[in-house]
């Protein structure tokens, strides 16, 4: 038989059967972000929840304004404002039970405060101190994370460990759109999905990573679509609709607690202020874009709904603003007090066993401080 005849006779065996490991269709996000406010669905929303969200959003916005003012007075080193993103911040905190954990990024001070952390303590790190200022165990809030996305594997680790020990807590981790390009994002989502860890990932897509717009960050149809590649559901929500964000996150928390595994939620929102007080946003975006987002303001959306349902009147608006002013006055007064600082703290908590060099430097500083104090007395 010739080679050609042999080839003609060759019939390859069919490959082993292949099927997708999970049906991707239920994991896909809806084509449009989920909305409640301004749609018929809002009629079902609990009046108590609407009022609480409103009061917290108004106070949250005032907190952002006050903290930004404190940077100008040199009382705060840096403040990444979440003005325009208050709905995500507050809904994230309210979607959790007391026993759950929040893993925030540096922009999420409002969520941290909404969890119960003292408003001044929550600013300790941003004031320039070396520690977070609050006890993470008291309100189950991890430290505000400045290195992008590092809080995500931490959240997954905590959630996975809790599940192994039969503790039914859920971890909710917050990250920005830029953070989704980090390796930690990939590792956290992959591990969480494989282990079915009880975690909810909330991406606040506020359009920018400092000056980098989303189009330069990803070619994916949406950030929520990334979930499908890991085998978890991806959900898209209007991040300025506090009721919608609260519903989507609450569903994801319930799903995680019931053993259903993680969910990736992408909230479409906008960063109204610059990245921080050290940034000039006019260098990379136009006023019209900002103005368009101001017309889709999270507080206005909620206020319109409450007013239309007869749940809020002028007196209610005034009361919410007064409460916010009281909070701001207290924040101002306490932030204007000089904290008692001990320069020797520089050497504490660096190593369990200080190095000889550190011991030497510590002795030198102690001697200098003593000499200075002596000089001041004379
Ligand atoms: C690992 C790491 N790389 C770079 C930075 C510098 N950095 C600080 S904020 C930021 C942009 C992050 O944007 P995004 O994740 O969208 O969050 P947003 O600030 O918009 O809330 C960058 C690159 C950092 N903090 N950590």
């Amino acid at each position: 038989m010739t080679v050609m005849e042999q080839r003609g006779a060759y019939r390859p065996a069919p490959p082993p059967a292949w099927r997708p490991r999970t049906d991707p269709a239920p994991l896909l996000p809806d084509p449009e972000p989920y909305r409640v406010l301004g749609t018929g669905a809002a009629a079902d929303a609990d009046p108590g929840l609407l009022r609480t969200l409103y009061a917290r959003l108004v106070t949250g916005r005032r907190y952002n304004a006050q903290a930004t003012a404190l940077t100008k007075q040199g009382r705060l080193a840096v403040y990444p404002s979440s003005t325009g993103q208050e709905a995500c911040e507050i809904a994230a905190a309210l979607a959790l039970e007391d026993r759950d954990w929040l893993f925030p990024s540096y922009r999420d001070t409002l969520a941290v405060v909404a969890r119960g952390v003292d408003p001044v303590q929550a600013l300790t790190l941003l004031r320039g101190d070396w520690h977070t200022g609050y006890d993470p165990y008291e309100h189950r809030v991890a430290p505000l994370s400045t290195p992008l996305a590092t809080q995500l594997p931490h959240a997954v680790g905590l959630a996975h460990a809790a599940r192994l020990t039969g503790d039914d807590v859920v971890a909710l981790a917050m990250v920005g759109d830029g953070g989704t390009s980090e390796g930690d994002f990939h590792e956290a989502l992959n591990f969480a999905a494989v282990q079915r860890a009880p975690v909810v990932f909330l991406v606040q897509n506020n359009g920018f990573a400092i000056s980098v717009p989303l189009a330069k960050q990803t070619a994916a149809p949406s950030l929520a679509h990334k979930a499908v590649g890991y085998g978890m559901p991806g959900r898209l929500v209007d991040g300025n609709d506090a009721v919608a964000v609260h519903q989507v996150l609450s569903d994801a928390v319930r799903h995680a607690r019931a053993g259903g595994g993680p969910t990736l939620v992408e909230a479409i929102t906008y960063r109204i202020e610059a990245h921080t007080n050290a940034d000039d946003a006019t260098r990379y975006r136009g006023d019209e874009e900002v103005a368009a987002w101001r017309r889709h303001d999270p507080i206005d959306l909620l206020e319109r709904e409450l007013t239309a349902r007869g749940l809020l009147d002028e007196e209610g608006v005034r009361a919410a603003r007064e409460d916010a002013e009281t909070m701001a006055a207290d924040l101002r007064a306490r932030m204007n007090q000089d904290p008692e600082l001990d320069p020797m703290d520089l050497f504490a908590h660096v190593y369990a066993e200080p190095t000889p060099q550190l011991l030497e430097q510590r002795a030198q500083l102690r001697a200098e401080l003593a000499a200075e104090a002596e000089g001041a007395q004379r």
Side-chain angles (χ1 to χ4, degrees):
M1 213 191 312
T2 65
V3 171
M4 290 309 285
E5 281 167 340
Q6 272 177 3
R7 277 196 188 152
Y10 174 66
R11 293 275 180 276
W18 181 87
R19 273 175 290 114
R21 300 185 51 255
T22 40
D23 178 5
L27 305 180
L28 278 169
D30 291 336
E32 281 290 313
Y34 178 65
R35 294 196 171 90
V36 174
L37 294 174
T39 73
D44 301 333
D46 167 32
L49 175 69
L50 290 177
R51 284 202 186 96
T52 304
L53 284 169
Y54 178 72
R56 300 276 186 116
L57 259 68
V58 171
T59 310
R61 174 139 321 160
R62 188 65 188 89
Y63 185 94
N64 275 325
Q66 187 57 64
T68 301
L70 286 164
T71 63
K72 296 187 175 136
Q73 294 153 10
R75 285 293 179 182
L76 202 50
V78 66
Y79 187 68
S81 169
S82 59
T83 296
Q85 301 179 220
E86 295 93 343
C88 293
E89 295 288 318
I90 303 300
L94 296 190
L96 293 173
E97 309 266 338
D98 283 352
R99 65 183 187 277
D100 297 329
W101 273 84
L102 181 78
F103 285 78
S105 85
Y106 52 85
R107 197 172 297 287
D108 304 318
T109 323
L110 289 194
V112 170
V113 173
R115 262 310 261 172
V117 172
D118 176 79
V120 170
Q121 283 189 348
L123 290 173
T124 306
L125 195 69
L126 299 168
R127 198 176 209 176
D129 217 325
W130 58 266
H131 59 83
T132 298
Y134 53 85
D135 173 4
Y137 288 94
E138 193 182 347
H139 298 284
R140 299 203 159 192
V141 177
L144 292 160
S145 174
T146 303
L148 301 181
T150 52
Q151 68 277 22
L152 307 184
H154 298 166
V156 177
L158 180 133
H160 181 51
R163 195 158 170 262
L164 291 178
T165 52
D167 191 356
D168 74 342
V169 304
V170 173
L172 190 153
M174 303 174 77
V175 67
D177 42 287
T180 66
S181 296
E182 292 287 335
D184 276 347
F185 175 84
H186 162 74
E187 289 161 25
L189 269 75
N190 192 52
F191 190 85
V194 170
Q195 300 294 339
R196 291 177 82 82
V199 195
V200 178
F201 300 100
L202 170 60
V203 180
Q204 289 189 69
N205 174 2
N206 64 8
F208 293 92
I210 312 183
S211 57
V212 178
L214 188 70
K216 288 199 180 164
Q217 197 72 248
T218 182
S222 77
L223 295 171
H225 276 82
K226 295 195 174 206
V228 186
Y230 297 109
M232 71 176 79
R235 297 287 170 249
L236 259 178
V237 62
D238 181 336
N240 287 14
D241 180 335
V243 182
V245 183
H246 185 263
Q247 271 184 22
V248 169
L249 291 179
S250 300
D251 287 351
V253 167
R254 260 193 303 276
H255 181 73
R257 204 182 313 281
T263 301
L264 172 63
V265 177
E266 177 185 1
I268 311 295
T269 181
Y270 195 77
R271 195 193 74 216
I272 293 290
E273 307 285 347
H275 173 70
T276 65
N277 47 304
D279 171 44
D280 175 5
T282 62
R283 293 177 64 187
Y284 53 84
R285 66 184 194 186
D287 292 346
E288 277 176 25
E289 184 179 296
V290 182
W293 278 95
R294 281 190 190 278
R295 289 192 292 275
H296 188 60
D297 181 77
I299 298 182
D300 289 351
L301 284 175
L302 205 48
E303 206 167 284
R304 274 201 291 273
E305 184 71 37
L306 280 156
T307 311
R309 285 180 57 183
L311 298 169
L312 186 73
D313 55 13
E314 273 179 31
E315 180 49 39
V317 172
R318 199 169 31 245
R321 289 183 187 163
E322 271 172 23
D323 286 350
E325 284 308 321
T326 306
M327 177 281 307
D330 176 64
L331 185 62
R332 232 175 11 248
R334 290 200 285 145
M335 288 293 288
N336 277 327
Q337 283 163 14
D338 288 323
E340 293 223 350
L341 297 175
D342 181 359
M344 298 310 294
D345 270 356
L346 272 176
F347 300 97
H349 316 298
V350 181
Y351 296 105
E353 293 291 333
T355 61
Q357 289 87 350
L358 270 188
L359 288 174
E360 201 181 308
Q361 288 171 18
R362 190 170 72 181
Q364 188 183 339
L365 182 63
R366 188 173 282 142
E368 282 176 18
L369 290 171
E372 203 176 90
E374 205 177 303
Q377 271 176 8
R378 265 194 260 124

